[in-house]
Amino acid sequence: CVQQKGLGIMDAEALKYYMRLMYTCEKGKSGDNWNQSEGIRLCEADILALDRTFRNEVEENFQKARKIRIDQKILRWDKMHAVHIGGMSAIKLSYLRQLGTNAPVEFVQYQIGDDDRMHYLSFSYRECERDRWLPDWVKIQGTFKLVKRND
């Protein structure tokens, strides 16, 4: 997880802004995910089912948070869809969320299948700081590449 410079030392300037970049990878079995040489093997109905599943997971997590008095809600949900990022096939998930009365936060995630692995590249930032962070996000997307493994 990468956050803005100075946040870890509680730098007052860094605390004025919010951005989070995360990369995670889940390993499964061969054939669990699409292979980049073949592209996404999901039809529109499959993607819509995934969209419903992810939205339900997010809403359930927000409901659990409300039980401990953390008021978080979805303000906008963008339908998942297939995209290309850095020449790779991916599924894009994005939504706008809000915690209490704080500024709304944009969340974007690319799910990039690679046979036995699913790579998740996620980026979130305050909607009002879009102009500050979007140029960095565009650069990051252009540099993200999967490297052939020998395992």
Side-chain angles (χ1 to χ4, degrees), residues 23-79:
Y23 166 78
T24 56
C25 178
E26 292 179 358
K27 186 173 183 192
K29 299 181 306 250
S30 183
D32 279 354
N33 303 296
W34 63 90
N35 187 305
Q36 283 299 313
S37 63
E38 301 168 2
I40 296 176
R41 299 182 310 236
L42 300 172
C43 66
E44 185 67 22
D46 293 335
I47 293 173
L48 288 174
L50 275 174
D51 183 73
R52 280 191 299 277
T53 298
F54 277 98
R55 183 171 183 151
N56 287 342
E57 285 178 14
V58 170
E59 288 176 340
E60 285 173 15
N61 287 334
F62 287 2
Q63 286 174 356
K64 287 177 187 175
R66 280 194 281 285
K67 289 180 181 176
I68 56 172
R69 299 180 188 260
I70 298 173
D71 180 30
Q72 195 163 194
K73 60 189 170 227
I74 296 171
L75 301 177
R76 186 193 74 239
W77 186 271
D78 302 320
K79 187 178 91 173

Side-chain angles (χ1 to χ4, degrees), residues 107-128:
F107 175 84
V108 179
Q109 181 182 75
Y110 290 95
Q111 300 172 10
I112 305 164
D114 188 26
D115 187 39
D116 64 337
R117 292 184 168 107
M118 181 61 79
H119 304 270
Y120 299 92
L121 184 60
S122 307
F123 183 61
S124 56
Y125 56 91
R126 288 186 192 119
E127 184 182 40
C128 61

Side-chain angles (χ1 to χ4, degrees), residues 9-26:
I9 58 171
M10 304 302 278
D11 178 309
E13 187 64 24
L15 292 172
K16 291 180 187 176
Y17 305 104
Y18 169 79
M19 180 278 296
R20 178 169 288 152
L21 174 66
M22 293 188 303
Y23 166 78
T24 56
C25 178
E26 292 179 358

